[in-house]
Amino acid sequence: MSAVAAPARIGRLGLYAFLAATALFFAIPLLVVISTSLKSLNEIRDFSIFVPPSSPDLAAWWKAWHAACTGLNCGGVHVGFWNSVRILIPSVTLSVLAGALNGYALSLWRVPGANLILLALLLGAFIPYQVILYPLVKITSTIGIYSSLPGIIAVHILFSLPVMTLLFRNFYSGLPDELVKAARVDGAGFWRIFVSVMLPLSINILIVATILQTTGIWNDYLLGLIFAGRENQPMTVQLNAIATTSTGEIEYNVNMAAALLTALPPLFVYFVSGRFFVRGITAGAVKG
C-alpha cells in the first residue's frame, strides 16, 4: 500500500510545486506594482524594481487618492471613483434586468420573429465598438444626452444587451417547460411568471451576469472617455491622465498606487462572489 502511495504523493507534490511556481511567475508584475507603490521616489531611482521597499509607507497611496493631478485638476482619483460608482450601479442593474427579461421572452415565449431577433443580437455581440461610435455620438447628441451621466449609462446598457440576452436565454432554455406551463395553469401571466418564478431560479446566473457587467463597465475606458463628459469621467480615464502626464516629475509610486486603487473594486467583487460565479456557470450559464 505504501509502495503505491509514495509515487502518488511525489506526483502530487510535484503538481503543487508546478502550480506554485506558475502562480508566482504570473504574480511577479502585481508584486512589482505593489512594491513600487510602497517605495519613495529616491528608492525607486536607486534600486532595482525587484528589490522590496526598505521602509514601506502609504504616502503614494494617499497622494493618488487625494492629490494626484489629472490635467488641471489635482483632486486625486477619488473623484473618478465616485463617478465610476454612479455610472456602475444603474448600468449594471438595468443591463442585467433587461438581459434577463429579453432572455426569458426569447426562450420561453413564442415571440413573433424571435429567431431573427436572436440572430440580430448574436451579430450585435460581435460588432466592434469602433464601428458604431460615431453613429452613437450623433444619436446621443441629437437627443441631448451626449457627455452626460444618462448618456454613458444608456451606452453601457446598449452595448451589453446582446451578451446579457444570450447569457440568460441559454440559461432559461435549460429550465423545464413544465415550470411555465404550471404557472400558466394557475393563471399567472408574463410578468408574474418572470418575477415570481424565473427570477428566484436565476440567482446564480444573475450573480454571473453582475460580475461580468461590473468588471466590464468598471474597467471601461473608451466609452467613458467619449460619452461621460468632463463632469463624469470614470476612474479609468483619470488613471490614464495620471499615468501619461508629460510635465513635471513622473511619480512612478503614485502611478502604481493609482492603478491598484482602480483595480481593487473588481478584484473585491471576484473574491467575494467567485464561488457563486463558478456555481452559476455550472448551473447552465453556457449551456445551449
Side-chain angles (χ1 to χ4, degrees):
M1 188 71 173
S2 59
V4 177
R9 188 179 299 111
I10 294 174
R12 181 172 298 179
L13 290 175
L15 176 61
Y16 287 157
F18 172 76
L19 292 175
T22 303
L24 180 61
F25 175 77
F26 284 103
I28 286 175
L30 177 60
L31 295 176
V32 169
V33 171
I34 296 174
S35 174
T36 304
S37 70
L38 299 175
K39 296 178 181 178
S40 65
L41 282 177
N42 291 332
E43 193 174 1
I44 292 173
R45 296 190 193 97
D46 295 339
F47 298 98
S48 169
I49 61 173
F50 297 105
V51 176
S54 58
S55 300
D57 64 75
L58 297 175
W61 289 67
W62 185 93
K63 184 171 184 179
W65 183 255
H66 289 288
C69 294
T70 56
L72 298 177
N73 180 20
C74 292
V77 295
H78 79 279
V79 177
F81 174 84
W82 294 115
N83 286 341
S84 293
V85 170
R86 291 194 300 152
I87 294 170
L88 180 74
I89 293 176
S91 298
V92 171
T93 302
L94 295 176
S95 62
V96 170
L97 289 178
L101 182 61
N102 287 345
Y104 163 63
L106 291 176
S107 63
L108 299 176
W109 290 78
R110 300 297 178 260
V111 180
N115 291 333
L116 292 177
I117 296 174
L118 187 61
L119 177 61
L121 287 170
L122 183 62
L123 294 175
F126 295 100
I127 295 177
Y129 285 4
Q130 294 81 357
V131 174
I132 55 177
L133 281 181
Y134 180 70
L136 271 179
V137 169
K138 295 294 291 182
I139 292 172
T140 53
S141 298
T142 301
I143 62 179
I145 60 173
Y146 180 69
S147 292
S148 66
L149 187 62
I152 182 62
I153 292 172
V155 168
H156 277 306
I157 294 173
L158 178 65
F159 274 109
S160 65
L161 270 181
V163 173
M164 289 293 102
T165 300
L166 292 173
L167 188 70
F168 281 97
R169 187 260 179 190
N170 288 342
F171 176 77
Y172 289 138
S173 295
L175 295 179
D177 293 337
E178 288 74 13
L179 290 173
V180 176
K181 293 178 181 178
R184 288 176 178 173
V185 169
D186 291 338
F190 179 90
W191 290 105
R192 182 63 181 273
I193 296 175
F194 178 67
V195 173
S196 301
V197 179
M198 293 295 110
L199 285 183
L201 292 173
S202 309
I203 300 300
N204 290 331
I205 195 64
L206 285 170
I207 293 174
V208 171
T210 300
I211 293 174
L212 293 176
Q213 283 299 94
T214 298
T215 54
I217 293 173
W218 186 273
N219 293 328
D220 169 70
Y221 170 77
L222 183 62
L223 298 180
L225 177 66
I226 296 174
F227 294 97
R230 292 183 180 273
E231 300 295 327
N232 306 294
Q233 286 186 345
M235 206 172 183
T236 49
V237 176
Q238 287 197 326
L239 173 63
N240 179 71
I242 293 173
T244 59
T245 182
S246 58
T247 59
E249 185 178 41
I250 300 178
E251 299 178 301
Y252 294 103
N253 51 353
V254 175
N255 293 350
M256 298 301 179
L260 288 170
L261 287 169
T262 305
L264 282 178
L267 286 175
F268 175 78
V269 171
Y270 268 117
F271 282 129
V272 170
S273 54
R275 63 189 181 94
F276 296 103
F277 184 86
V278 175
R279 188 182 302 171
I281 291 294
T282 57
V286 294
K287 182 169 60 177

